[in-house]
Amino acid sequence: MTEGGGADVTSRPGRAGHAPSTSPEPGVELTTLDNGVRVVTEHMPEARSVSIGFWAGVGSRDEPDELAGASHFLEHLLFKGTDRRSAKEIAVAVDAVGGEMNAFTTREHTAYYTRLPVGELDFGLDLLADVVAGPAFRPPEVDAEREVILEEILMNDDAPDDVVHTRLLESVFPEHPLGRETLGTEATIEHMERDAIAAFHAHWYLPANLVVAAAGALDHDRVVDQIASFLTDREVGSRPQRAAPFEPPRPLSVVHRPTEQAHVAMAWRGVAQRDPDRYALSVANQILGGGMSSRLFQEVREERGLAYTVFTAPSSYADSGVLVLYAGTAPARLGELLEVVGDVIDGLLTDGITEDELETAKGYLEGATLLGLEDSGSRMARLGAGLTSRDEIIPVAEHLERTRAVTAEDVARVLKLVLAAPASLSVVGPFEEDDRVLTGAVERAAARHN
């Protein structure tokens, strides 16, 4: 087994001239079609459902400034109808078999998926292929969905816990599309024309940038045969060329709101998706603020009663990453909260972790991985996300092995790499930019970096 390459694979001859299929792990098969679409499946003989996902390797970071929010706009529009089906016909067809259908947009990919009774595999593949490849982009539907997205933007702006994260990422990745909100802005959504959205779709929703993932009681060859005619009339296309963040993080962002609670978020740049240290960072995150036994949860909530919600979470991108910390507290207790958070971080950097913390964190991550693979939807998502984001499928056994191999020294190294780097602090509440508590917290973070 090698880092970045997954496990050794077996292969068998391709069908209808396609590249030979490979099996990254038992039950999983991968075929690259002649046109470049990658089809990956996992056979779950005991499942009564089948989950199918069409994954496009394009997200908000790949949009030009004037089209900020185009990927998310597409996520909405692709369910509004095709030349063969209206939006209502799509909804009725899925409801009629007790299924579910949805989509989501991230900074680096967009996914469209459905979960259906196992006997509806052919219907699900045909429906998603139609939705993804042939959206109608009818002008009245574009305008109607524009209003829906504008309402979504306003809703998020009314939620201070959303605003604090939006401003935080703007500070972590200044002047870079990774720092942009995936929804876009009111201005870009209002001015985005139907033809510009259609052109964005035509440019990126091409075979080289698409993955079809499915899991359930299915036959891989049957899925391949169903998808074989998908997008055969289009050029192969290419994947986005991305530039890594270049500006240093900004230290402080304050949004003055007369809220009853101060919403506080901190962030440090983390590790990229293919960085071997992502396993050590997952363990470190679990110890810092990833669960109920974490140091932040125990100290901030259980011991001090400073917050109802406190957590940390890492995210990884193609060429960068971020570790986010969030807590909400009474405005009068903001100083105490920031002091406690700083002490917890300093303690980890100075004294390291205990063996019990290491084993608890690794045990949690292993158990959560296994519990997360109990249904066809989660297994499909593992396959689709792995191929779209990293061009690999890491077998579950290998993933667990890499987590178990993390040592206390690995955790100490990655904590110093991440937490000792420049931090960004974002606060939403009844405060101003020159608030002494906030500027003091920034100075303390800067001292940790120096």
Side-chain angles (χ1 to χ4, degrees):
M1 292 178 286
T2 57
E3 175 61 38
D8 295 335
V9 299
T10 58
S11 64
R12 58 188 177 88
R15 291 167 60 82
H18 302 308
S21 65
T22 60
S23 180
E25 64 180 313
V28 175
E29 289 191 66
L30 168 63
T31 297
T32 300
L33 305 185
D34 287 344
N35 62 2
V37 175
R38 290 174 289 174
V39 179
V40 59
T41 68
E42 182 166 3
H43 181 56
M44 301 170 61
E46 76 286 356
R48 297 189 177 185
S49 69
V50 61
S51 293
I52 310 160
F54 281 48
W55 297 67
V58 60
S60 59
R61 75 171 295 179
D62 306 308
E63 302 156 351
D65 291 344
E66 67 274 13
L67 290 182
S71 297
H72 178 256
F73 211 144
L74 276 175
E75 175 204 317
H76 282 241
L77 288 177
L78 265 58
F79 289 128
K80 297 299 287 185
T82 71
D83 292 336
R84 294 169 51 197
R85 297 176 170 96
S86 68
K88 184 176 181 179
E89 287 172 336
I90 292 171
V92 169
V94 175
D95 282 354
V97 296
E100 58 187 50
M101 188 174 186
N102 214 326
F104 62 89
T105 306
T106 74
R107 284 167 169 77
E108 295 189 332
H109 61 258
T110 310
Y112 305 84
Y113 60 92
T114 185
R115 183 169 175 264
L116 302 163
V118 69
E120 303 296 335
L121 171 65
D122 292 350
F123 160 69
L125 290 168
D126 179 73
L127 177 63
L128 278 181
D130 189 28
V131 164
V132 170
F137 296 125
R138 300 178 182 95
E141 294 168 346
V142 173
D143 291 337
E145 210 59 29
R146 185 192 318 277
E147 297 303 317
V148 172
I149 296 171
L150 289 172
E151 290 297 329
E152 188 176 358
I153 290 172
L154 292 175
M155 179 181 69
N156 282 14
D157 195 50
D158 278 343
D161 51 337
D162 285 336
V163 173
V164 76
H165 284 97
T166 296
R167 293 299 183 91
L168 180 69
L169 287 181
E170 289 174 355
S171 297
V172 176
F173 301 114
E175 310 301 326
H176 192 277
L178 278 177
R180 283 198 312 230
E181 173 57 55
T182 58
L183 299 178
T185 67
E186 288 186 68
T188 59
I189 298 303
E190 285 175 348
H191 294 97
M192 203 174 297
E193 297 180 353
R194 180 264 181 204
D195 289 349
I197 300 169
F200 187 87
H201 173 271
H203 182 77
W204 291 120
Y205 282 60
L206 293 173
N209 205 33
L210 292 172
V211 168
V212 177
L218 52 76
D219 177 73
H220 177 77
D221 291 338
R222 183 175 173 181
V223 175
V224 169
D225 289 344
Q226 278 280 99
I227 300 298
S229 60
F230 178 54
L231 295 179
T232 54
D233 59 339
R234 306 198 187 172
E235 61 182 286
V236 173
S238 60
R239 302 184 200 180
Q241 296 296 310
R242 293 163 174 161
F246 51 88
E247 293 286 341
R250 293 171 182 163
L252 180 63
S253 173
V254 180
V255 178
H256 182 85
R257 294 272 181 93
T259 56
E260 295 297 322
Q261 191 176 48
H263 297 266
V264 184
M266 300 179 70
W268 302 258
R269 288 191 184 170
V271 301
Q273 288 165 344
R274 295 178 68 89
D275 192 319
D277 270 342
R278 66 186 185 273
Y279 291 93
L281 183 58
S282 292
V283 175
N285 170 72
Q286 192 63 29
I287 294 169
L288 174 60
M292 294 177 62
S293 65
S294 68
R295 290 198 184 187
L296 281 173
F297 190 92
Q298 288 296 313
E299 190 65 27
V300 172
R301 174 169 166 160
E302 301 295 271
E303 297 295 328
R304 309 288 188 105
L306 282 168
Y308 175 77
T309 300
V310 58
F311 65 83
T312 58
S315 296
S316 294
Y317 309 113
D319 46 23
S320 189
V322 64
L323 176 65
V324 171
L325 182 157
Y326 169 82
T329 192
R333 305 190 74 183
L334 177 62
E336 184 181 358
L337 171 68
L338 292 173
E339 191 69 25
V340 171
V341 168
D343 287 344
V344 169
I345 292 172
D346 289 344
L348 277 174
L349 292 176
T350 302
D351 303 323
I353 64 171
T354 68
E355 195 63 30
D356 285 345
E357 287 177 320
L358 178 66
E359 294 308 311
T360 298
K362 292 196 290 186
Y364 173 86
L365 293 171
E366 178 171 345
T369 297
L370 296 174
L371 292 175
L373 296 175
E374 289 193 329
D375 65 85
S376 63
S378 59
R379 294 202 188 190
M380 178 277 293
R382 178 178 77 94
L383 302 177
L387 270 186
T388 306
S389 299
R390 296 187 303 271
D391 291 318
E392 67 176 351
I393 295 168
I394 299 176
V396 173
E398 182 177 341
H399 174 82
L400 297 178
E401 181 182 322
R402 294 184 187 187
T403 300
R404 295 185 193 114
V406 173
T407 66
E409 290 74 21
D410 295 329
V411 172
R413 184 188 68 257
V414 79
L415 282 172
K416 289 181 179 178
L417 173 70
V418 175
L419 296 181
S424 297
L425 172 64
S426 176
V427 178
V428 175
F431 308 100
E432 304 294 341
E433 286 277 355
D434 59 354
D435 185 281
R436 289 187 177 181
V437 171
L438 299 178
T439 55
V442 169
E443 291 171 357
R444 176 171 181 169
R448 185 182 304 120
H449 170 59
N450 294 329

